[in-house]
Structure formats: structure tokens, C-alpha cells
Amino acid sequence: QEKLRVAVLVSKAALQFIQGLSLRSEYVVPEEVKAAGFQICADELGSIVEGHDSKKLITHGGVTGIADKLATSPADGLSTAEESIKRRQDVYGLNKFTESEVRSFWVFVWEALQDTTLIILAVCAFVSLVVGIAMEGWPKGAHDGLGIVASILLVVFVTATSDYRQSLQFKDLDKEKKKIQVQVTRNGFRQRLSIYDLLPGDVVHLAIGDQVPADGLFISGFSLLINESSLTGESEPVVVNEDNPFLLSGTKVQDGSCKMLITTVGMRTQWGKLMATLSEGGDDETPLQVKLNGVATIIGKIGLFFAVITFIVLSQGLISKKYHEGLLLSWSGDDALEMLEHFAIAVTIVVVAVPEGLPLAVTLSLAFAMKKMMNDKALVRHLAACETMGSATTICSDKTGTLTTNHMTVVKACICGNIKEVNNPKNASDLCSELPETVVKTLLESIFNNTGGEVVIDQDGKYQILGTPTETALLEFALSLGGNFKAKRDETKIVKMEPFNSTKKRMSVVLELPGGGCRAHCKGASEIVLAACDKFMDETGAVVPLDKTTADKLNGIIESFANEALRTLCLGYREMEEGFSVEEQIPLQGYTCIGIVGIKDPVRPGVRESVATCRSAGIMVRMVTGDNINTAKAIARECGILTEDGLAIEGPEFREKSLDELLKLIPKIQVMARSSPLDKHTLVKHLRTTFNEVVAVTGDGTNDAPALHEADIGLAMGIAGTEVAKESADVIILDDNFSTIVTVAKWGRSVYVNIQKFVQFQLTVNVVALLVNFSSACFTGNAPLTAVQLLWVNMIMDTLGALALATEPPNDDLMKREPVGRTGKFITNVMWRNILGQSFYQFIVMWYLQTQGKSMFGLDGPDAEVVLNTIIFNSFVFCQVCVPYQICFFFSIFLKEVSCFSPVFNEISSREMEKINVLRGILKNYVFLGVLTSTVVFQFIMVQFLGEFANTIPLTRLQWIASVLLGLIGMPISAIIKFLPVGSS
């Protein structure tokens, strides 16, 4: 049997050798690749990795052979010589994907022209031109038609311009989303590099939560599991090691760590080819956009009904006149033009009635907020996150790095039973001299080997520590004890490593010792690792049994460290039995306690004030952390999160509670310590579903992804966060600062309120425009506002109004009111009162002008009707120009919720109104002022110089003053309306 087995193996090796020779003879290195100094082309590399072709890989000499052919070193990486990098880029390409081209401005113009009502108006304009020129000749007969055409083009170009600018903003933000950096070794130095700068031959270091940045091969690593679901759809992770070394771009590291050799980049990778078949779509509509689309549809149907009635009323006068004259079958060109004008007015009533600006206002407001939040260190990945954050009622915040600075240092250590301050190099040096040599040796062996970090020498010859803040703090401590990272790592060989696991809350490693045998090292949450120890090292360095008295003493030390807001870690080791296999689990018990360290992570400046701001804004802040409960409570008190009536609970206790107990506990929970990802997920789920809260969650690790996904809004940390956490989040906090989260909430509220302002503005204008033309048509047989004039008003409302009101920046008063929550009404009773009050005032003004205007202004003669209609049009526009100021006045009082204003109108002087913060803010908003100024200027030009097109006539100075005053009177009227009592909702 043995001879047979050997024969089979020899035959197999011979066949592989023969096949390898044939493959080797088949592959010819292209001349341009040889000339550049490489021995393998991009297509060959792509076929090896993408096809998982082990035979080809063996043919080329394995990973080492590929590295040689790419003129790189698995240890030192690429040379950074500029000429070498350029040659490599020319041969293998860049690690960038082909992006969809930015749509040109004319595409947006074409899309704007697709509007049904504008198409109907265009047909009206065409018929008007044909009939008018036939009857009255050029150019007099073309005035009406050209006026409608000019109005249509103006609306189209303004709409297209705003859509085009918004698309450019989203394109810029999309680039920000894709900025990812990885750790790379080049010229023997480890450094951070953008994934777009990677080239074949680069040596990249990956850890849990990282995204594989390009196709490549596994060089070395531990317990590496890759989630390939984004490419294959398979949820089961793939084990990657020397036997299966293939790593594909776009996949994610689920567990373990590794070094990989980049082989294929950009569009040649499997991910690149997949992206080439897809056209990247924009963001879906946000909930508010969907809601407002529904509102627009309903109002549009109402407008259509009024338009039909208006057309019937206007036309029946002409038809009845012709009927009485017996000329019903005899129609002149003038009669056709009059009917066409009636139809155009009916169509423009639909144009004005349909509030197309509602969704546009949401998009503009969100785009503006996203751009501004980027400046405030918050990158919004999903549009809906802006408006959702404005409704947030609860924030479940991580501790480390969010509430604290994320710059950790070891400040206290308990080794061999003695507590020492080690917050500076001198104290650490003193501790080293006091400890037995064997203890120091074991301690350094544990810290330098059982770590996910690394100590490297940068290009300036200085030590640089890479890794998480906790790992960095421990490595700094070990270096201050006089340890040498490289020398200590070279003494032993790592046989197996189990990276930090959020369930076990520990990290373990097995080392092969120089003299033979193996030793396991473990570090992690103090209570858990100490519970796994049955021995400890005493003052002499001897290993003695860990009795109950000593265990209680060590637990007391852990508690005292935690009470000082120190994060504690316990380090232990155990000698392994002979014959330990890599397939075996690293033992969980039987360790010897080396020591306990207390790590300080100071609270970020401004966090306490931010938490207080959240509290005053009705947002409950909860801390959810994996730390010791005493540490968590100390930090929570320092931040102002934990109050007298609040509850701090541990994860294990929380998960044992029954549903009834949870319903009583959850509203009181302010701190959850020692929490697992499942605990965090459960808390968030109950808050959202059972208590109907709008929940924001912060997180940085892969383990936070479920909670980030479950939350209404997920906030991932930009510095400490893994790529998996960022991908699961809606917003990335670029500076990892809690204060930025408060800024996001403020912007969210600003978006919500700005859109409320716009809705109030637009519905007011809609109601008035409908009532004026409809009532006038019913009672007088003609409409004072023509098609061209209504189109101009429509543009003021839909586009300029959206631009002006949607770009209001947030103010501090926004954070002094209760959140809207999940069930709050968008159009409140206060808004309805303001809409109806303003509509009533404007309608009375328009109706009074129409019935009494001629006598009021002393108008007579052939132009009296045209002059009166011009005054009505001018006054109507100035009422709309003043509406934004009135709206801001309403909202300023509504947001401040002051009751000190007397109901007597005389007590509200203009000076008092100037002191309102929102009005002062408007004067600093250049977009707002620019829009209002442009509207007034164009209105003046339209009335004074475009009479033929706009059906207007130049007005006198007195008539202009009267028009402006009628608009301004709305300001005090709005103040009076404010004091009409309405419900709170």
C-alpha cells in the first residue's frame, strides 16, 4: 500500500511538472512588458486570480514567483521611485473604475421640457402664433404666442440649471464616499495610502472589517475569513490561506488578518468588470419626498378640477353671446384666439396648482445640507439620513473614540500584585527596574506578539506605531519598558492567532518557543481573562496558584481602576501541551495572570455641552459600550449622560431579562456596559418598534454593522471605523466626534423646517392663484392673471422660492424644541392657520382691487382694464415676495415658543421684529437675498418694458408704491394671525 501511495504521488507530481512545462511554454511575455522590466502581463495575472487557477500560479512559481515577476518584494513592497511607478502604471493601469459620464446641461433641459403641462402650453403657444400671425400679421399677432414661449423657456432653463447644479453636488459627494485608505508597505516602510494609488506589486495589510481593495494573492496571515457575498451572493465565508490564496476586489475581511500581494487593479478586476455592466443609480426618493409627491398629486387633481371649471365658465360667456347673436357656427380668428386664451389660462391654473416645487425643494434642501455637513465633518451616504436625523429622539452612542478622544495611554499597571503609575517614561522605566527579569520578558512577549498592531520605522527613521488606539497604548507601554518589537517578534514564531472577538472579548495567540514547545498568550476584558486564570506571578516572578483572596484583591484593583474611568485589560499566558495542532481551538482556561493595565482615554472637549444640547432638544443619549460597567458609569457621569434617575446595566444581565421586564427597563437605561453586538441590536430594535423612537446609532467595528443597519440612522466613525461599518451606515462622522453628531441633528432639523417653510409658502400662493382666477372667471367672465403672468408666478414659487427657502442654515433655536419623532404631522395646525390666514388676506386684496381698483386709482379710458390687471398682477407678486419674510416670522415665534408677546398687536413693533434671530440670519443668507432681489428686478422689467409679451402696461410711481405696500401689509397681518389659537399638533 505504501509503495502504491508513493507511486501515485510520483505520477501526480510528474503530470503536474509536464503540465507546468506545457503551460510555461504556452505563456510568452509581451515585449512591452519585458521592456518595462516585468515578466508577466496584466491579462495573465487577471486570469490567475479571477479564475482561481492554482496550476497557473504554480507554473509561475507561486506567490513568490509572481512577486519576482512583478519586480517587488513580499517583505519590503514596491520601490517608490517616480520612474518605476510610472512604468508600472503604464503596463498595469490604475486602480480606478470607469465612472458614468456627468449628464450635460442640455439633457436636463430636455427632461424639463417633458413636463406634460408645459407641452400643452407649447401647443397653445404654437396655435396662438399661427392664428395670431394669420389674423394680425407679424410681429403684432405673435406677441401672445411668443410671450408664452419665452415664459416656458425661462421656467425650463431655471429648472434645468438647479437640477444640473444639484447633480454636480451629488457627484462631488459620491467621490468623497469612495475615499478609502489602506495600510501598505513600500520601500520597507508601512504607510497609509489611498486605494486609488495601489498598483500590482503593492503589499497591503488587511484586518477585520477591511474591504479588499483590488485582486491579489495571500502572502501570510492568521484565521483569514473572507465574505464574498458582494460578488458571489454566497453568505458562507471563504477561508483564505496558502492553499487557497486568491483575494478578490470588493470582498470583505470577516475575521483574521493578512498581508496580500496586489496583482490586478481597476477595470481588470472581477469587481471592475461587474461595475462596467452596471450604471450607478442615484439615491432613492426619501420618505419626505414620497410624502410630498402624494401631496402634489392631490393638489394637482384639485387644480385640474378648478381649471376645467374655469375654462367652462370663461368659454360659456363667448358661446352664449354667439348663440344669442345666431353666429354659433360662424367663428372668426379673434373668437379662436379668445378661446385659445381661455384654454391657456385653464392650463396655467394647472401649472400653478401643481406644486412641482415640493419635491424640488426637498432635493435642494438635502443637497445644500449635505454639502454644508461635509464642511462640518459629516459625510452623508444616503439622502434620507438628513431628514431622518431631524426627527431623532434617541442616540445610542459608542464610548471609545466618539465620546472620548480615542488617544489611549496606559496610566496605571498592576503587575506581580503591585500597582504603579506609568503615565510617563520615567515611571515606566522605574517599574521595569523593580520587576523580576522573567516577568518583564513574559510581559513584553505577550504585548509584542499578541497584538493586531505593529511598530515600524518610518522614512525619517522614527518609530511609528500602527493599530487600534488600544493596541497603540499597549505597544507604547511595552516600548517605554525598554522592549524591542522586532527583536522580540524574531525570538518566537506565531503558530496560530485568534483576533479580538466581540463575543469572547479576548484575543489569543500561540507561539512556538526557541527551545521547543508552545506557549499561548491571552488578553482582553479584565473580568473575563482573570476568570480564565488559575495562577498568577508573584513579586518574585514565581508562578503560584491563584487563591480566592488574591482573586478578590485583583478584582478590587480592576474595580478601582474602572472607577477612575480607566479601561482595564488583563494579560495572561499558559504553557501548551505537546502536539498542539493549528486546527485546535486556543484554550479558554488554565492561564497565568501576568498583570492588569489601566488605559486612559480622556473625554473629548465639548462632549458634555453637546449632550446637554441633545437633552434640551428632547434627544435621549445612551452609551452602549463593551467596557467595564464602572468605567462606563464614570465616563457617562463625566459626559452628563448618566443622571440620578438613569439606569446602568451590563449586557449579560440585559439579555437575561424577560420581555415584560425589558419594557420597564429600556426607557430608564442610559448606560449599557459589556454589551455584545446582539445586545446593541436588541436595544435598538425595541426602541424603534416597541417604543416608536427614531433611533440614531454610532459604531466603528464590524460587530456594530447589525445595529447600524437596524437603526433609523446609522453613524459610522470615519477614522476608527471599519469599511463594513461605514458601508452599513447612513452618515460617516469624519472626525469621530460626538459634537459632529449633534451638528448632523441640527442640520436634519433645519432641512425639515426649511421644507415646512416652503410648503407653507407654496400652498399659500396656490390657494390664492386658484381662488383669484376661478372667482374672477365665475363672476366677471375674465381672468386678471394671464398665462404668461401665471407662468412667471409659477417660476417664483417652484424654483426661486425653493432655492431661497431651502438654503436657510440652521440656528441654535432649532435645538430648543422637542423632536418631531415618528408620528409628528408634517403640515401642522400652525401652518394651516398661517396658510389660510395669508390666503384670505391676499384673496381679499386681489378681489378688492378687481372690484374697486378702477375707482381707487382713478382709472378710466381704453387702457383702464389693462392697467388694473397689471396692478393686480404686481400686487400679487409682491405679496409672494414678502411671504418668505412672513413665514420666517411665523417660524421664529413658533420655534422660540415664547409666551411673553402680548396679544395686543401694537406691542409688536418693527424694532422687536428686527431682533428676531431668524430674520437676522436671512440677511446673511446671500442666496435668499439674491433670489428676492432678482425677483423684484425681473418683475420691474416685466411690468415696465415687456408689456407686449406679459400683457402688462408701465405703472406710475404711485401705483408701484401701492403694489409694494399691499405686499408689506402682510407682515403685520401675519403677526395678528399668529395669535389666533390653534391646537399644539
Side-chain angles (χ1 to χ4, degrees):
Q1 283 178 344
E2 180 63 20
K3 284 179 180 178
L4 188 61
R5 189 180 71 83
V6 170
V8 168
L9 288 173
V10 168
S11 302
K12 188 178 177 183
L15 283 169
Q16 284 180 343
F17 179 72
I18 293 164
Q19 195 173 23
L21 285 176
S22 63
L23 281 168
R24 189 170 296 177
S25 60
E26 283 173 17
Y27 178 67
V28 179
V29 184
E31 288 302 320
E32 63 271 16
V33 175
K34 274 186 183 177
F38 309 113
Q39 298 300 314
I40 190 167
C41 68
D43 292 337
E44 181 74 359
L45 285 168
S47 67
I48 292 171
V49 178
E50 189 179 339
H52 286 49
D53 197 329
S54 300
K55 291 175 182 174
K56 269 192 183 180
L57 182 61
I58 293 167
T59 302
H60 287 289
V63 177
T64 310
I66 295 286
D68 289 341
K69 291 182 177 185
L70 282 170
T72 187
S73 160
D76 296 333
L78 293 181
S79 162
T80 53
E82 192 173 328
E83 187 185 337
S84 168
I85 295 289
K86 182 72 173 62
R87 282 203 314 271
R88 202 173 289 269
Q89 287 175 345
D90 292 340
V91 173
Y92 298 109
L94 301 170
N95 194 32
K96 291 183 179 177
F97 302 122
T98 304
E99 295 184 359
S100 55
E101 287 184 17
V102 178
R103 293 192 297 170
S104 74
F105 172 72
W106 297 108
V107 173
F108 289 98
V109 170
W110 176 250
E111 287 179 357
L113 281 167
Q114 306 304 308
D115 187 83
T116 308
T117 48
L118 290 182
I119 291 170
I120 295 170
L121 278 173
V123 172
C124 290
F126 176 74
V127 175
S128 177
L129 280 169
V130 172
V131 175
I133 292 170
M135 296 299 298
E136 299 181 55
W138 177 268
K140 189 176 180 183
H143 287 161
D144 285 347
L146 289 177
I148 296 173
V149 170
S151 301
I152 290 170
L153 290 176
L154 192 59
V155 170
V156 164
F157 274 93
V158 172
T159 305
T161 301
S162 83
D163 287 347
Y164 180 63
R165 283 179 58 80
Q166 169 213 316
S167 75
L168 292 179
Q169 278 194 339
F170 287 147
K171 197 77 177 173
D172 291 341
L173 289 168
D174 199 48
K175 286 178 183 175
E176 289 292 334
K177 290 180 195 176
K178 294 173 181 174
K179 282 185 179 176
I180 302 170
Q181 289 199 320
V182 288
Q183 290 193 8
V184 180
T185 296
R186 281 190 176 181
N187 275 353
F189 301 111
R190 193 143 152 197
Q191 54 201 273
R192 294 188 72 80
L193 206 67
S194 167
I195 59 168
Y196 297 125
D197 294 329
L198 292 178
L199 292 166
D202 264 320
V203 175
V204 175
H205 303 260
L206 299 176
I208 296 179
D210 286 343
Q211 184 170 305
V212 180
D215 288 358
L217 297 166
F218 175 92
I219 298 173
S220 62
F222 305 97
S223 312
L224 188 65
L225 288 179
I226 298 292
N227 182 343
E228 293 187 351
S229 58
S230 56
L231 280 179
T232 64
E234 294 294 330
S235 57
E236 197 64 31
V238 176
V239 177
V240 176
N241 49 32
E242 286 88 349
D243 299 325
N244 176 36
F246 307 105
L247 289 156
L248 298 175
S249 172
T251 58
K252 297 175 187 70
V253 180
Q254 188 166 313
D255 200 3
S257 59
C258 78
K259 277 202 310 184
M260 74 171 285
L261 176 70
I262 300 293
T263 58
T264 318
V265 294
M267 297 305 292
R268 286 193 174 96
T269 64
Q270 193 168 341
W271 183 257
K273 289 173 185 174
L274 180 67
M275 291 299 288
T277 64
L278 304 173
S279 58
E280 193 172 333
D283 286 274
D284 293 332
E285 286 189 323
T286 71
L288 194 53
Q289 283 173 313
V290 172
K291 194 185 294 183
L292 291 181
N293 276 328
V295 171
T297 304
I298 293 167
I299 296 172
K301 288 176 180 176
I302 294 169
L304 183 62
F305 170 77
F306 275 97
V308 171
I309 299 298
T310 303
F311 179 71
I312 292 169
V313 169
L314 288 172
S315 302
Q316 65 85 27
L318 176 63
I319 292 170
S320 62
K321 179 186 170 187
K322 294 188 76 64
Y323 175 76
H324 289 304
E325 292 174 355
L327 301 171
L328 193 60
L329 299 177
S330 176
W331 290 76
S332 66
D334 288 337
D335 295 334
L337 279 174
E338 192 175 340
M339 284 294 287
L340 193 66
E341 178 65 19
H342 295 165
F343 182 68
I345 288 169
V347 173
T348 49
I349 282 178
V350 176
V351 174
V352 175
V354 175
E356 297 153 325
L358 292 185
L360 174 67
V362 179
T363 309
L364 280 173
S365 193
L366 293 174
F368 177 74
M370 286 172 73
K371 193 76 175 173
K372 291 295 183 183
M373 278 197 272
M374 187 70 205
N375 298 336
D376 289 338
K377 303 296 182 186
L379 169 61
V380 179
R381 296 185 73 251
H382 302 127
L383 262 184
C386 292
E387 67 189 47
T388 309
M389 195 63 195
S391 306
T393 56
T394 294
I395 298 174
C396 294
S397 176
D398 195 13
K399 177 182 77 69
T400 306
T402 309
L403 299 169
T404 55
T405 60
N406 208 24
H407 182 74
M408 295 184 172
T409 51
V410 177
V411 294
K412 274 192 174 183
C414 172
I415 301 170
C416 298
N418 295 323
I419 301 171
K420 291 286 182 184
E421 294 269 356
V422 288
N423 51 3
N424 61 58
K426 186 179 184 305
N427 289 350
S429 178
D430 292 343
L431 173 66
C432 185
S433 61
E434 293 171 13
L435 293 174
E437 189 180 337
T438 54
V439 173
V440 175
K441 185 180 176 184
T442 309
L443 178 64
L444 293 176
E445 183 180 271
S446 176
I447 293 173
F448 283 144
N449 287 287
N450 190 21
T451 180
E454 196 169 347
V455 180
V456 297
I457 298 172
D458 64 18
Q459 292 170 332
D460 299 326
K462 296 177 182 176
Y463 279 111
Q464 186 182 359
I465 302 174
L466 302 170
T468 64
T470 305
E471 298 285 14
T472 303
L474 282 171
L475 290 170
E476 276 180 354
F477 173 57
L479 291 173
S480 67
L481 291 174
N484 184 312
F485 180 82
K486 191 172 186 309
K488 208 69 186 172
R489 287 291 282 262
D490 291 343
E491 285 178 10
T492 56
K493 179 187 174 186
I494 297 176
V495 176
K496 182 179 174 105
M497 178 181 277
E498 289 181 0
F500 181 82
N501 184 293
S502 58
T503 307
K504 295 178 182 176
K505 295 202 176 295
R506 59 200 282 170
M507 178 179 185
S508 304
V509 67
V510 176
L511 306 177
E512 187 180 297
L513 301 174
C518 290
R519 180 180 292 160
H521 283 277
C522 172
K523 77 171 180 204
S526 300
E527 302 90 337
I528 293 167
V529 174
L530 187 61
C533 295
D534 54 15
K535 296 180 281 294
F536 80 104
M537 300 178 87
D538 67 9
E539 293 179 1
T540 63
V543 176
V544 297
L546 182 63
D547 56 25
K548 188 176 183 306
T549 307
T550 310
D552 289 344
K553 179 187 173 186
L554 291 174
N555 277 313
I557 290 167
I558 292 169
E559 191 171 332
S560 70
F561 280 12
N563 288 335
E564 295 174 37
L566 301 182
R567 182 177 184 180
T568 60
L569 288 175
C570 184
L571 291 84
Y573 80 97
R574 65 165 282 174
E575 304 297 342
M576 301 295 291
E577 296 81 12
E578 289 289 329
F580 173 77
S581 169
V582 176
E583 282 72 33
E584 293 177 43
Q585 285 285 330
I586 298 177
L588 300 175
Q589 297 292 328
Y591 286 86
T592 300
C593 177
I594 303 170
I596 297 158
V597 293
I599 301 173
K600 180 75 172 178
D601 188 9
V603 172
R604 283 184 182 273
V607 165
R608 191 176 184 87
E609 292 79 4
S610 298
V611 171
T613 302
C614 286
R615 203 178 293 283
S616 67
I619 303 172
M620 175 82 162
V621 181
R622 293 175 166 89
M623 180 199 286
V624 184
T625 179
D627 253 1
N628 175 294
I629 191 163
N630 293 316
T631 309
K633 282 161 75 173
I635 294 288
R637 285 197 188 95
E638 195 176 336
C639 295
I641 293 172
L642 187 59
T643 58
E644 293 300 322
D645 55 346
L647 176 68
I649 191 170
E650 286 191 317
E653 184 186 347
F654 174 79
R655 69 183 80 115
E656 287 171 8
K657 299 290 182 185
S658 66
L659 183 60
D660 290 336
E661 288 174 316
L662 284 178
L663 294 181
K664 293 175 185 174
L665 278 178
I666 286 174
K668 298 177 185 175
I669 292 176
Q670 292 176 339
V671 176
M672 187 188 288
R674 286 281 173 251
S675 65
S676 69
L678 188 60
D679 297 330
K680 197 171 186 177
H681 183 268
T682 305
L683 176 66
V684 172
K685 191 174 181 182
H686 277 302
L687 284 169
R688 284 189 70 244
T689 55
T690 312
F691 296 96
N692 222 18
E693 302 262 11
V694 178
V695 186
V697 169
T698 72
D700 53 15
T702 308
N703 55 304
D704 291 318
L708 290 169
H709 186 73
E710 175 66 30
D712 291 286
I713 177 165
L715 302 149
M717 300 300 107
I719 300 170
T722 62
E723 290 309 316
V724 173
K726 291 176 190 176
E727 199 168 283
S728 303
D730 303 294
V731 178
I732 299 171
I733 306 299
L734 299 175
D735 60 356
D736 290 15
N737 195 339
F738 185 80
S739 302
T740 305
I741 297 170
V742 179
T743 304
V744 173
K746 190 188 290 186
W747 271 108
R749 291 189 175 195
S750 177
V751 167
Y752 200 85
V753 169
N754 285 348
I755 295 165
Q756 281 184 314
K757 290 178 189 177
F758 178 74
V759 167
Q760 183 174 310
F761 167 57
Q762 184 153 48
L763 292 185
T764 302
V765 185
N766 281 356
V767 171
V768 177
L770 281 176
L771 288 177
V772 168
N773 265 17
F774 178 70
S775 60
S776 180
C778 290
F779 292 107
T780 67
N782 60 61
L785 300 174
T786 66
V788 173
Q789 291 167 357
L790 282 176
L791 278 169
W792 166 239
V793 172
N794 180 62
M795 195 183 72
I796 295 172
M797 287 192 312
D798 279 358
T799 312
L800 298 179
L803 190 64
L805 288 171
T807 54
E808 274 293 296
N811 58 63
D812 293 334
D813 289 334
L814 288 170
M815 299 304 282
K816 293 177 184 174
R817 57 180 288 210
E818 290 298 307
V820 176
R822 200 177 295 281
T823 55
K825 280 199 264 181
F826 180 73
I827 303 180
T828 63
N829 289 349
V830 172
M831 288 172 68
W832 278 123
R833 180 199 59 205
N834 297 342
I835 290 166
L836 296 176
Q838 273 294 309
S839 299
F840 181 73
Y841 162 71
Q842 290 187 28
F843 176 68
I844 292 297
V845 169
M846 297 304 114
W847 186 250
Y848 180 79
L849 285 174
Q850 195 165 12
T851 54
Q852 305 297 322
K854 287 183 181 179
S855 59
M856 178 181 170
F857 289 99
L859 302 175
D860 53 21
D863 290 336
E865 191 70 29
V866 180
V867 172
L868 180 61
N869 283 348
T870 303
I871 292 170
I872 291 171
F873 168 57
N874 209 33
S875 301
F876 181 62
V877 168
F878 273 99
C879 280
Q880 312 326 318
V881 170
C882 295
V883 160
Y885 285 109
Q886 296 157 21
I887 288 169
C888 291
F889 180 72
F890 287 141
F891 272 85
S892 65
I893 296 175
F894 173 62
L895 294 177
K896 289 169 94 67
E897 295 178 354
V898 283
S899 57
C900 59
F901 285 98
S902 165
V904 182
F905 167 66
N906 292 338
E907 291 187 13
I908 305 176
S909 66
S910 59
R911 184 177 178 187
E912 285 294 324
M913 286 195 292
E914 285 175 7
K915 287 187 177 179
I916 293 171
N917 287 336
V918 177
L919 288 177
R920 285 204 301 270
I922 285 171
L923 296 177
K924 294 177 183 176
N925 186 342
Y926 299 115
V927 175
F928 190 94
L929 290 175
V931 167
L932 289 182
T933 305
S934 302
T935 304
V936 172
V937 170
F938 280 118
Q939 177 66 15
F940 179 79
I941 293 169
M942 183 173 281
V943 170
Q944 297 299 110
F945 304 109
L946 299 178
E948 295 286 349
F949 291 101
N951 294 319
T952 59
I953 197 164
L955 298 179
T956 65
R957 186 179 299 176
L958 181 65
Q959 290 163 350
W960 268 101
I961 291 170
S963 299
V964 174
L965 282 176
L966 286 170
L968 288 174
I969 288 170
M971 298 275 299
I973 294 292
S974 69
I976 295 170
I977 294 168
K978 164 67 185 74
F979 298 115
L980 294 176
V982 291
S984 58
S985 61

